[in-house]
Amino acid sequence: MDALGHLGVGTAMFSPQGFPNGQIVYNLTTTHDRDHEYLEPFEPHRRTFLVIAVADFTENNPPEILLSQFEDLRAIYRRALFHTCLIFDSPLSAPLPVPKIRPNDDRDTSKYFIPVPTKRESRTTSMRTIMCDVTSCLLSEFTGYARTLQSLPTLESPLASVVAEEAGLAAPATNNRMSMPSIAGSSVMGGLQQQRMSMQGFGSNTMIERAKSKGKGRIQIAIAELYMLTGRIPDALKEFVEGANIARNNNDHLWHGKALNGIGVCLVILAYLGVDFQVSTRSSHRVYSFSTNPLTIQIPNIPYPTLDAKSVSKSTPTPPKTPTPGTDSTPSRSSTSAADPQQLLELIPELGTTILNLYNRSSNFHGETIPQICFSESVIRHSKFMASVYLANGLNIKSLTNIVLGHPITKPEIIERKIPGLPDKREISASVMRAYPNPIEALTVLDASKVMGGIASVLGSIGFQRRKAMITRELIRILIPGLIQARVIGAAGAGIHPAAGLSATSGPIGPVTGGSGGALDIMEDEVEIGIMGLLEDMCSAYGIMRKANKSEPASEPTDEERQPEEEIVAENELRAFGWTGLKIHVLRSCMSLCEALPDFNGVLKFTAQLLKMGGSDLSRDEQIKLATNISRTISAAGKLGMDGVVTSYWDAFLLREIELVESNLWKSPIPHAKHELQDTDQADIQVPIIANKNPFIYNPFAKKRETAAAEQVLVQGELAEFRITLQNPFEFDVEIESIALDVKGVEFVTEKQGVILSPFRTQQLSIFGKPTGSGNMTVVGCRIKVFGCAEKSFLILTEGFDYGKLDIKIKQMGLPVLEQKPVRPASTVSNAKRVSAKAPPSQFPTPKTIPVTVIENQPLVLAHSSSLPQSALMVLEGERKVFNVVFQNLTDVPVDILFFSFQDSTTTQLQAALASKDMQPSEIYEYEILLLKKRALLWKNQIQKPKPMPSTKGTSTESVKKESAMVPFIAPHSTASFDIEVLGKPGLTNASVQMDYGHLGVPRDQVTGRFYTRQVIFPVTITVNASIELLRVDFIPFQTSVDFPETDRISTCCGTINDKSEQIKKLFRQANVRDEPGEYCLMTLDLRNAWPQPLKVNLQVREPPKSLEEEEAEWVNPYETCDTIQAGHQSRFVVLIKRVYLSNPTAKIPSLSGTQRQFVVSTTKPTADQERLSREAFWFREEILKCIRGTWEEVGTQRRGEVELRNFRLSPRMVETVRVDDVGIRMEIIESPHEKNTETERADEVRELAPGSLQKSAPNKFILETDQFYNLRTTITNRTTRSILPILRLSPSLRNQHVSVALDLSRRFAFDGLLQQAIRRIPPGESTSVEMGFVVLCRGEFEVTAGVEEVRAGRWGMDVGGAGGYMTARGGAGPGKEVKKLGPDGIPEDILEGVVGKRSWVGREVMTMVVRDKV
């Protein structure tokens, strides 16, 4: 501090007025260095000159006690020059104690107890004035100390005395350091020795005179040190120069180097203060005399500065304002300054080299070896000077401020051009490494720590992080044994408690001061970083962790601020960097140091980092040891009352999976779209849902509801279960204290619980919780608290970091890889071009999230009871039974919507059969019938719809209906009963009643979005026994020789009829047949009773329905036949079935499920004929099944059921039996009118035939007479939906004769026309008749057959003349298609569509003529 104007002239030789620009900078410390007292004569700055005691006036301590304590303090620190006591918050009028100094000492003792005013009474300059007074007293003591030194004959070197030898702080002189280059060489050393020997014994150069001269030089160098400490730099420079001359002349190399070191420090301080001086570059071996203006003193080969007399003249007492430590002001420089920074920059490195050479020469003399700590400090001081110059790009104000005051160089200058004399960082590194002691064990732990810390500081400032880390590792290796020993022994003298930290061993580290020479103080931004900062800095150099950039705190997030996926990316990048074995060794050292301090947080941090970095590379014993270490550290911290000693968990993949578990008591809600809800006519009245019209589309081929519904739903306020999968890849147990879900959106309250993960395994855990609201909730992970670790959020990381898919490019090497990567903005143009391109693989792991929808409160329904004992029942095949199920609502929410669905054992088998590719369409249709039309279970609705009130005058029924309210299906906390009907089916062993229920809260037409339902399942065990089995079915064509039973002409025309005909008549009579017998056929059914009891079977037959309405309508007056079948017996039933006409019997077989198999490639490829026969059999079978049904009833009981009649197939013969042809041909004989001679009579007269000449004995059998004229009428009926243009072909033949004889009719028949003739076009659904006259010439039995053949080929199902229609099996036209539709394999979907060709039809019945001779 500047003492000018405050200090008097009584300070004599150290008066501040001698150099007003000088400064005194105090290096305050709370400890006293007793280990280096032997170095105080050589380096006076190590001595404690001032001891300041601090007292508090408010404590009301008596003056006697303060005086006693002050005397004790003086006794303890006797080597201090001045002792004082500052009494804070002291009033100005307060009495102060007067200490006893010495007897007969009349000095003013008021300065020993200095009052410091209170904050209110103090001024801005109060503390400055007090420190100036203290400094004045200290400078007065410096004068006496300097006089004492001048009275001494000489000063011993540090290692010359016995005390220094016992300390053992220096190595033998012959041991050169490995980090030091050899100095001067043997030839130079030999020349110097010869020069000394030749100078002995002449004149004043005797041994006594040399000793006196050497002692004078040493005293002068010590005085120069005091001048430099008191801020009188010019006087110090003068004394250093004179002392250097004397030491050089006497070959006192140690003190010569010390003087040169002081000269360099003075030059740097003068350059910082802006004082003009000159540097002479002349070289001479002569010693120049001293001249006051200018000063020019030079030692051979060492240019000494020339100080301008104007700068030290007392005529200029007002200096420029100088900076004080802690301010940003810089010393002003005169525009006429003659100091050249470039010359000083060239001088200092040369001066430093010379100093080191002199120190090395001194090792050749016994007792003159420089102590290792002094040598290392000198090397580090010189290296720091070069490092500051390098960082500031020259010797400028930035570098000088950093060198003198220790202000950091905030931003290193970018070197654009090489400045002459600027040191290179490799030279700096090589220079500072010379300070490394060899061996390191020669120094104490404290000295070695200071030296290693100084070396690491210089290396770190120039960017040599790895070499700095190596030195730091060595420093840690030295500290660990010392700390452990200090804790064991107690180290009371050093002030270290065994449980204290490292901070107790050293005071605050201050910046480099101008006079302190603190070469080992930490520089730049490393001030006060502490042990943890030192260890983290070393770990960052080895790629263990990233070092946070303190200049830009927001640029690199910490582990707590970094996102979990980013943390994993950073961890993997660090894992891939460097050598894993070396990292593990470094972490062990850091952990051991923290244990030795002890630093509990550090122990936990580096133990966790070691587990994270080592992982599987660590042995089992070491992993267990680390886990035990964590537990022991937390226990020790707890005993000391230290709370919050935790670390971060070491495995980022602790959480592997989270799954929502469905409750065992009730199902999760299932979402439904609005269109799935049934549209009812009563919009405002909630009506029950009947089984046939469920509000949801029933599709047994749809995917399962659990797999189709990707949405996961929770209900507000209901307990939910999540299954958590955790992993422990280590060889020790991991104790998890608490685990909770980490969700976003809706708040989720988790019941926290703990678990212990076993070693080296994956373990599942169920946690429970309740959502407190409704809306969207996203499960992002878990918040897990592991013992000894802070609570941390873990994401669900299931994939990512597949290095095989990443395009890894090496862009950087070395430590720059660990630096933060700049984030470049994405180009919108490039993104637009890459829309269709494949997205690059993500550099981050892919976190998995679980979206969950939380809905409002919903009802909970359970199956309360059932009418079935043990939920089981027995039925027969075809039998229907009804049982009752009671459901209970457990919540306050009513159930206002429900429907039933069912699952049974036959459904799975049928669906598996439908999935087969070998299935024919007809078989698929049968399976679909069993699935859709014959369900095993149905809800038998017994809830009656609300009846509207009778309409009154002025009030319509519609309005009354809207005002009425429907009672909910299941009220809150109540029960409801439902009846379920079971149908006995083969293969039915078990079934389940599934009731979907929910709460809408609004009428159905007001539902705007999705709604949700729940499902409750009631399982049922069913036993199905056989009842009536259908064994065989056959169809028999009916003979047309049987006439109508009610016709009166039978007795006159037909004659006698045999017994079989009488049975047929009875059958027709019972069936109430009114049509022609030729339109019917006989159907035989063989039924067997497989039940142990007799069963009565009843079959009903009706006319084929002509429309869909008739098909679904009730059967009116059907024909019935019944029989009782005994147990194990079978019976044949014969029924009369009307033949069926189908306009398109080859139509495609439909699918009842609506899912056509057009994209399923079948393994079988039938031909067109096979497909036609299959389709015809299918459609005719379906029409027959519409006309017949059967029931059975157990005799003596009320048990009844249906007979399954679908278990038969139609053969081609059966198809022809039941078929009605497209074109009907019917022949009959009528009497012919008599034609008169046209020449004699124009009028037509009818010739009367003789009675009995034409008789009809059967529908197609006639009795004729010879030589009579008859007409053969052929009626052709077109039953198709298109017009036909046919040719009629008649073929008469002699009955029961060979073909050659039967067709010879030239002498037996005479026809009036052609047997083959074209007929006009017959429109669809119309008939035409063709008559032809004939005369039979002889008696006998004849047969006439008729056939019709198309003249022009047409498309099946298409009108030849115009637009036709595509025919279905039932008839009716659809849009015609001229081109076949092709499937995905190029094969037509319907191989029978659009068949082209001529068709022909032959009459089913043959007309028989029995000709008799005319009577």
Side-chain angles (χ1 to χ4, degrees):
M1 60 179 296
D2 186 6
L4 184 63
H6 298 278
L7 300 181
V9 296
T11 55
M13 59 186 301
F14 296 103
S15 175
Q17 297 180 357
F19 184 63
N21 290 348
Q23 297 180 12
I24 296 178
V25 180
Y26 285 98
N27 183 20
L28 302 177
T29 180
T30 58
T31 59
H32 178 59
D33 187 8
R34 300 182 183 274
D35 295 336
H36 298 93
E37 290 182 354
Y38 71 97
L39 294 177
E40 291 179 359
F42 185 70
E43 293 180 343
H45 66 272
R46 297 184 181 274
R47 181 168 182 169
T48 301
F49 294 99
L50 174 64
V51 176
I52 300 177
V54 179
D56 188 359
F57 185 83
T58 59
E59 295 180 356
N60 297 324
N61 293 320
E64 295 78 8
I65 296 179
L66 293 178
L67 183 60
S68 175
Q69 293 178 351
F70 184 75
E71 292 296 337
D72 295 340
L73 187 68
R74 293 178 58 187
I76 295 174
Y77 300 103
R78 295 179 180 274
R79 299 180 59 84
L81 298 183
F82 183 70
H83 303 77
T84 185
C85 179
L86 301 181
I87 304 178
F88 285 85
D89 294 337
S90 176
L92 299 179
S93 59
L96 299 176
V98 179
K100 298 179 181 180
I101 303 177
R102 293 183 183 88
N104 301 325
D105 194 349
D106 57 352
R107 287 184 299 172
D108 184 12
T109 61
S110 60
K111 298 300 182 181
Y112 292 96
F113 286 89
I114 303 175
V116 179
T118 62
K119 185 178 181 180
R120 179 178 298 179
E121 296 176 352
S122 63
R123 300 178 182 178
T124 307
T125 58
S126 296
M127 201 66 198
R128 181 183 178 91
T129 302
I130 293 174
M131 291 305 299
C132 289
D133 295 339
V134 173
T135 304
S136 177
C137 297
L138 179 62
L139 292 180
S140 298
E141 299 294 336
F142 260 96
T143 302
Y145 179 66
R147 300 301 184 193
T148 303
L149 290 179
Q150 291 176 351
S151 63
L152 297 175
T154 184
L155 293 176
E156 295 292 338
S157 297
L159 299 182
S161 62
V162 179
V163 177
E165 293 178 358
E166 292 178 354
L169 300 177
T174 56
N175 294 336
N176 295 328
R177 301 170 185 86
M178 296 180 63
S179 58
M180 297 181 180
S182 59
I183 304 174
S186 59
S187 59
V188 177
M189 295 297 296
L192 292 176
Q193 293 178 0
Q194 292 176 2
Q195 185 178 2
R196 288 199 303 268
M197 292 175 63
S198 61
M199 295 174 61
Q200 294 178 359
F202 294 92
S204 61
N205 290 332
T206 61
M207 294 296 295
I208 299 177
E209 293 178 353
R210 180 181 294 274
K212 292 181 178 181
S213 178
K214 183 186 297 186
K216 179 182 178 181
R218 293 184 177 184
I219 297 297
Q220 208 163 3
I221 293 173
I223 297 298
E225 284 275 356
L226 297 180
Y227 275 124
M228 187 171 61
L229 290 176
T230 57
R232 298 188 58 166
I233 306 303
D235 295 331
L237 181 62
K238 174 184 175 183
E239 296 296 332
F240 274 131
V241 171
E242 292 179 355
N245 277 296
I246 296 174
R248 171 192 171 276
N249 293 332
N250 293 281
N251 293 330
D252 193 358
H253 303 300
L254 178 61
W255 291 85
H256 185 192
K258 174 64 179 177
L260 295 183
N261 185 58
I263 291 173
V265 173
C266 292
L267 293 180
V268 174
I269 295 176
L270 290 176
Y272 166 74
L273 296 176
V275 179
D276 299 336
F277 63 89
Q278 297 178 358
V279 179
S280 174
T281 58
R282 294 175 300 170
S283 299
S284 174
H285 292 281
R286 294 186 302 109
V287 179
Y288 289 86
S289 61
F290 173 75
S291 60
T292 59
N293 189 15
L295 175 62
T296 305
I297 301 176
Q298 184 174 356
I299 296 178
N301 299 327
I302 302 299
Y304 283 89
T306 301
L307 185 63
D308 193 353
K310 295 184 293 180
S311 63
V312 297
S313 176
K314 296 182 180 180
S315 61
T316 58
T318 305
K321 185 177 180 180
T322 57
T324 58
T327 63
D328 295 333
S329 60
T330 56
S332 60
R333 291 183 178 274
S334 174
S335 59
T336 60
S337 175
D340 188 1
Q342 184 62 31
Q343 293 183 3
L344 184 60
L345 183 61
E346 295 177 357
L347 173 64
I348 295 299
E350 184 179 357
L351 191 63
T353 303
T354 304
I355 292 172
L356 297 182
N357 290 339
L358 291 174
Y359 286 160
N360 189 65
R361 291 179 185 178
S362 67
S363 61
N364 295 322
F365 298 93
H366 181 71
E368 297 296 325
T369 304
I370 184 173
Q372 180 63 56
I373 182 66
C374 298
F375 178 83
S376 298
E377 285 184 356
S378 179
V379 173
I380 295 173
R381 186 182 298 111
H382 178 257
S383 301
K384 283 193 174 183
F385 172 82
M386 293 190 295
S388 299
V389 172
Y390 168 78
L391 295 176
N393 195 19
L395 190 62
N396 46 35
I397 189 60
K398 288 186 177 181
S399 59
L400 290 174
T401 304
N402 175 259
I403 295 170
V404 178
L405 296 180
H407 291 178
I409 301 176
T410 56
K411 186 177 181 180
E413 299 289 341
I414 300 176
I415 301 177
E416 297 180 354
R417 62 184 181 87
K418 182 67 175 179
I419 299 178
L422 188 68
D424 186 76
K425 62 180 181 179
R426 287 180 291 272
E427 299 176 1
I428 301 173
S429 175
S431 174
V432 74
M433 288 303 295
R434 299 175 67 181
Y436 187 85
N438 186 26
I440 191 68
E441 291 77 9
L443 297 178
T444 62
V445 174
L446 184 60
D447 290 346
S449 301
K450 290 182 178 181
V451 172
M452 304 300 285
I455 296 174
S457 176
V458 175
L459 293 175
S461 64
I462 61 177
F464 279 38
Q465 299 297 333
R466 292 186 175 179
R467 186 168 292 185
K468 174 185 175 181
M470 181 186 67
I471 298 299
T472 307
R473 282 184 59 199
E474 189 68 19
L475 172 62
I476 294 175
R477 186 185 66 84
I478 296 172
L479 287 176
I480 292 175
L483 290 173
I484 295 176
Q485 183 180 6
R487 290 180 58 189
V488 173
I489 298 176
I496 303 176
H497 192 271
L502 186 63
S503 58
T505 63
S506 61
I509 302 176
V512 178
T513 60
S516 66
L520 302 182
D521 294 334
I522 302 176
M523 62 183 301
E524 299 181 358
D525 59 341
E526 299 175 0
V527 178
E528 299 294 344
I529 63 174
I531 289 296
M532 291 304 299
L534 178 67
L535 298 181
E536 290 176 358
D537 185 68
M538 179 186 66
C539 292
S540 65
Y542 285 101
I544 300 174
M545 61 180 64
R546 280 187 170 89
K547 182 182 179 181
N549 190 358
K550 296 183 179 181
S551 62
E552 299 178 1
S555 60
E556 180 72 17
T558 61
D559 293 341
E560 291 76 10
E561 298 174 351
R562 187 182 289 115
Q563 295 296 329
E565 60 268 19
E566 297 178 358
E567 180 182 353
I568 295 175
V569 172
E571 178 183 344
N572 280 269
E573 290 180 354
L574 290 175
R575 189 183 297 273
F577 179 85
W579 182 13
T580 304
L582 181 60
K583 294 179 183 179
I584 294 175
H585 182 72
V586 171
L587 288 172
R588 288 171 181 165
S589 301
C590 295
M591 187 176 63
S592 300
L593 178 62
C594 293
E595 289 177 351
L597 289 177
D599 185 355
F600 301 119
N601 289 314
V603 171
L604 294 180
K605 179 177 181 178
F606 290 107
T607 303
Q609 190 68 31
L610 180 57
L611 289 171
K612 180 188 298 185
M613 187 64 62
S616 60
D617 294 336
L618 301 176
S619 63
R620 181 178 181 273
D621 295 340
E622 186 172 3
Q623 292 184 24
I624 296 176
K625 180 181 178 181
L626 293 176
T628 306
N629 190 25
I630 293 176
S631 302
R632 187 178 66 252
T633 302
I634 296 175
S635 177
K639 292 179 180 179
L640 295 177
M642 300 176 61
D643 298 331
V645 179
V646 293
T647 185
S648 179
Y649 188 68
W650 43 88
D651 184 15
F653 294 90
L654 172 63
L655 178 63
R656 301 301 298 170
E657 187 60 80
I658 298 179
E659 297 175 345
L660 178 60
V661 181
E662 187 175 354
S663 174
N664 295 328
L665 300 179
W666 49 76
K667 299 291 184 180
S668 299
I670 302 171
H672 301 279
K674 179 183 178 181
H675 66 83
E676 298 181 20
L677 194 62
Q678 179 186 11
D679 295 329
T680 60
D681 296 334
Q682 298 178 357
D684 296 332
I685 300 178
Q686 304 207 8
V687 299
I689 303 171
I690 61 177
N692 293 333
K693 294 183 179 179
N694 289 334
F696 309 101
I697 300 175
Y698 178 80
N699 185 2
F701 301 101
K703 293 182 180 180
K704 293 183 179 180
R705 186 170 298 169
E706 290 76 11
T707 58
E711 181 181 10
Q712 301 190 23
V713 183
L714 295 180
V715 181
Q716 176 184 352
E718 289 188 6
L719 191 66
E721 179 184 0
F722 286 86
R723 183 181 294 114
I724 311 298
T725 303
L726 305 174
Q727 75 166 11
N728 179 18
F730 300 96
E731 297 289 347
F732 54 86
D733 294 338
V734 175
E735 180 182 355
I736 296 180
E737 296 180 348
S738 65
I739 179 171
L741 282 184
D742 188 6
V743 301
K744 295 181 180 179
V746 179
E747 182 181 0
F748 189 85
V749 180
T750 307
E751 299 178 359
K752 295 185 178 181
Q753 56 179 322
V755 67
I756 296 179
L757 299 181
S758 302
F760 208 72
R761 69 184 57 190
T762 300
Q763 191 167 337
Q764 290 185 342
L765 170 70
S766 294
I767 61 175
F768 301 88
K770 295 181 180 180
T772 59
S774 60
N776 295 326
M777 182 180 75
T778 303
V779 181
V780 298
C782 286
R783 298 187 307 274
I784 302 177
K785 173 68 172 65
V786 182
F787 174 75
C789 302
E791 187 178 31
K792 184 178 179 181
S793 180
F794 291 85
L795 296 182
I796 312 172
L797 301 173
T798 57
E799 58 183 5
F801 270 115
D802 189 354
Y803 290 100
K805 298 180 180 179
L806 297 179
D807 186 12
I808 301 177
K809 298 180 180 179
I810 300 177
K811 296 183 178 181
Q812 289 179 325
M813 297 182 67
L815 291 177
V817 176
L818 302 178
E819 297 178 358
Q820 184 183 11
K821 301 176 179 61
V823 179
R824 297 182 298 178
S827 174
T828 56
V829 178
S830 61
N831 290 340
K833 294 180 179 179
R834 298 177 182 177
V835 172
S836 60
K838 184 179 180 181
S842 176
Q843 300 294 329
F844 294 94
T846 306
K848 174 185 175 182
T849 59
I850 304 176
V852 180
T853 302
V854 182
I855 61 177
E856 296 180 352
N857 295 331
Q858 293 292 316
L860 291 176
V861 177
L862 295 179
H864 181 265
S865 61
S866 172
S867 61
L868 297 177
Q870 298 181 355
S871 299
L873 78 161
M874 188 275 292
V875 293
L876 299 180
E877 291 184 8
E879 182 183 5
R880 295 182 183 270
K881 276 190 177 182
V882 178
F883 65 92
N884 177 271
V885 181
V886 179
F887 293 97
Q888 181 181 9
N889 186 0
L890 304 177
T891 62
D892 299 331
V893 182
V895 176
D896 56 6
I897 178 175
L898 62 84
F899 80 100
F900 283 91
S901 60
F902 308 95
Q903 293 288 336
D904 57 83
S905 57
T906 62
T907 304
T908 305
Q909 301 174 3
L910 293 174
Q911 290 178 350
L914 288 172
S916 176
K917 297 182 180 180
D918 299 333
M919 301 296 296
Q920 297 297 328
S922 59
E923 297 175 350
I924 294 176
Y925 185 86
E926 290 299 321
Y927 290 148
E928 292 176 346
I929 286 288
L930 295 176
L931 281 174
L932 301 179
K933 300 298 183 180
K934 295 186 177 182
R935 303 178 186 175
L937 284 84
L938 288 176
W939 174 28
K940 193 172 183 180
N941 182 26
Q942 294 181 351
I943 303 178
Q944 301 296 329
K945 297 183 179 180
K947 297 181 179 180
M949 297 177 61
S951 60
T952 59
K953 185 176 181 180
T955 304
S956 63
T957 307
E958 191 79 18
S959 61
V960 176
K961 187 184 298 183
K962 291 184 178 180
E963 292 176 359
S964 62
M966 181 64 188
V967 179
F969 288 104
I970 307 178
H973 299 287
S974 62
T975 60
S977 177
F978 300 91
D979 294 335
I980 307 299
E981 185 181 69
V982 180
L983 172 62
K985 297 170 56 177
L988 181 61
T989 57
N990 57 80
S992 60
V993 180
Q994 301 176 357
M995 186 182 76
D996 288 78
Y997 62 93
H999 175 71
L1000 297 178
V1002 296
R1004 296 179 184 177
D1005 61 339
Q1006 297 182 10
V1007 176
T1008 57
R1010 295 186 301 176
F1011 64 98
Y1012 296 85
T1013 62
R1014 264 201 169 110
Q1015 189 178 83
V1016 57
I1017 299 177
F1018 178 75
V1020 181
T1021 302
I1022 303 174
T1023 302
V1024 179
N1025 294 323
S1027 58
I1028 297 298
E1029 297 178 355
L1030 179 61
L1031 301 179
R1032 285 177 296 275
V1033 174
D1034 196 4
F1035 292 88
I1036 302 173
F1038 188 72
Q1039 298 295 330
T1040 58
S1041 60
V1042 179
D1043 202 352
F1044 294 102
E1046 294 81 10
T1047 304
D1048 297 337
R1049 294 189 300 168
I1050 294 179
S1051 59
T1052 58
C1053 299
C1054 298
T1056 304
I1057 301 178
N1058 54 20
D1059 295 337
K1060 293 184 178 179
S1061 299
E1062 189 64 28
Q1063 294 178 1
I1064 297 299
K1065 287 181 182 181
K1066 184 178 178 181
L1067 181 61
F1068 271 87
R1069 191 179 298 111
Q1070 292 177 356
N1072 197 17
V1073 174
R1074 294 291 182 179
D1075 297 332
E1076 296 183 2
E1079 296 182 3
Y1080 291 85
C1081 64
L1082 297 179
M1083 179 180 181
T1084 62
L1085 299 93
D1086 293 343
L1087 301 179
R1088 178 179 176 272
N1089 182 10
W1091 181 243
Q1093 299 297 328
L1095 298 177
K1096 181 180 179 180
V1097 180
N1098 183 18
L1099 296 182
Q1100 295 181 351
V1101 182
R1102 69 173 178 178
E1103 296 290 328
K1106 299 180 180 179
S1107 62
L1108 185 61
E1109 291 76 8
E1110 294 183 6
E1111 179 181 348
E1112 296 179 354
E1114 294 292 335
W1115 290 29
V1116 180
N1117 298 324
Y1119 163 68
E1120 295 184 2
T1121 178
C1122 62
D1123 188 15
T1124 300
I1125 307 176
Q1126 297 298 323
H1129 289 225
Q1130 67 180 20
S1131 177
R1132 173 167 294 181
F1133 289 77
V1134 179
V1135 295
L1136 200 62
I1137 298 294
K1138 191 174 183 179
R1139 295 168 54 223
V1140 180
Y1141 168 74
L1142 296 178
S1143 60
N1144 187 11
T1146 59
K1148 291 187 63 176
I1149 301 175
S1151 174
L1152 296 180
S1153 62
T1155 56
Q1156 298 292 338
R1157 296 162 57 94
Q1158 61 268 25
F1159 297 110
V1160 179
V1161 180
S1162 178
T1163 57
T1164 60
K1165 294 182 180 180
T1167 62
D1169 293 339
Q1170 293 175 349
E1171 185 68 18
R1172 179 179 57 82
L1173 293 176
S1174 176
R1175 294 184 183 182
E1176 288 179 351
F1178 171 80
W1179 286 115
F1180 283 105
R1181 175 176 173 271
E1182 289 299 314
E1183 292 298 323
I1184 291 173
L1185 291 174
K1186 295 176 184 177
C1187 303
I1188 185 172
R1189 67 180 181 182
T1191 59
W1192 58 265
E1193 181 180 357
E1194 187 177 5
V1195 178
T1197 63
Q1198 299 296 328
R1199 176 170 289 179
R1200 59 178 53 86
E1202 298 177 356
V1203 179
E1204 182 59 57
L1205 299 177
R1206 300 189 63 90
N1207 300 331
F1208 70 93
R1209 295 177 180 271
L1210 292 182
S1211 63
R1213 181 189 61 82
M1214 296 180 184
V1215 172
E1216 292 299 326
T1217 302
V1218 300
R1219 179 201 299 270
V1220 175
D1221 292 333
D1222 297 329
V1223 176
I1225 304 175
R1226 181 178 181 183
M1227 296 180 294
E1228 62 179 348
I1229 300 175
I1230 61 175
E1231 296 176 350
S1232 176
H1234 176 71
E1235 296 184 1
K1236 296 184 179 180
N1237 192 349
T1238 57
E1239 297 179 355
T1240 61
E1241 185 175 339
R1242 291 301 202 185
D1244 295 333
E1245 297 179 357
V1246 179
R1247 182 178 64 88
E1248 296 292 337
L1249 296 176
S1253 62
L1254 176 62
Q1255 297 180 9
K1256 183 178 181 182
S1257 61
N1260 292 322
K1261 186 175 183 181
F1262 297 90
I1263 301 175
L1264 306 180
E1265 294 181 354
T1266 59
D1267 300 332
Q1268 292 290 334
F1269 287 92
Y1270 300 97
N1271 281 355
L1272 177 61
R1273 178 184 293 175
T1274 305
T1275 302
I1276 302 174
T1277 303
N1278 181 13
R1279 299 189 181 96
T1280 64
T1281 57
R1282 62 183 181 87
S1283 301
I1284 60 174
L1285 187 61
I1287 294 179
L1288 176 61
R1289 302 180 188 274
L1290 299 176
S1291 178
S1293 62
L1294 189 60
R1295 190 179 183 187
N1296 300 326
Q1297 297 295 327
H1298 191 266
V1299 177
S1300 60
V1301 179
L1303 297 180
D1304 185 11
L1305 302 176
S1306 59
R1307 297 181 182 180
R1308 296 182 176 88
F1309 266 93
F1311 291 95
D1312 185 10
L1314 298 177
L1315 294 178
Q1316 299 181 10
Q1317 55 180 319
I1319 307 174
R1320 64 177 180 85
R1321 183 182 299 274
I1322 305 175
E1326 296 186 6
S1327 302
T1328 184
S1329 298
V1330 178
E1331 294 184 5
M1332 184 179 61
F1334 69 94
V1335 176
V1336 184
L1337 302 179
C1338 66
R1339 62 184 177 86
E1341 293 183 4
F1342 298 90
E1343 292 179 350
V1344 180
T1345 60
V1348 175
E1349 182 180 355
E1350 285 186 303
V1351 176
R1352 184 180 302 171
R1355 184 177 297 274
W1356 172 248
M1358 300 294 297
D1359 194 348
V1360 178
Y1366 180 76
M1367 302 305 298
T1368 61
R1370 292 186 178 275
K1377 298 182 181 180
E1378 296 292 339
V1379 182
K1380 293 183 179 181
K1381 295 172 62 177
L1382 300 180
D1385 53 357
I1387 301 175
E1389 295 182 1
D1390 189 359
I1391 61 176
L1392 299 180
E1393 181 183 355
V1395 176
V1396 179
K1398 296 180 181 181
R1399 293 181 61 106
S1400 60
W1401 298 269
V1402 178
R1404 174 183 292 269
E1405 299 176 354
V1406 178
M1407 189 186 69
T1408 303
M1409 295 184 296
V1410 179
V1411 182
R1412 300 174 182 176
D1413 291 335
K1414 184 177 180 181
V1415 179

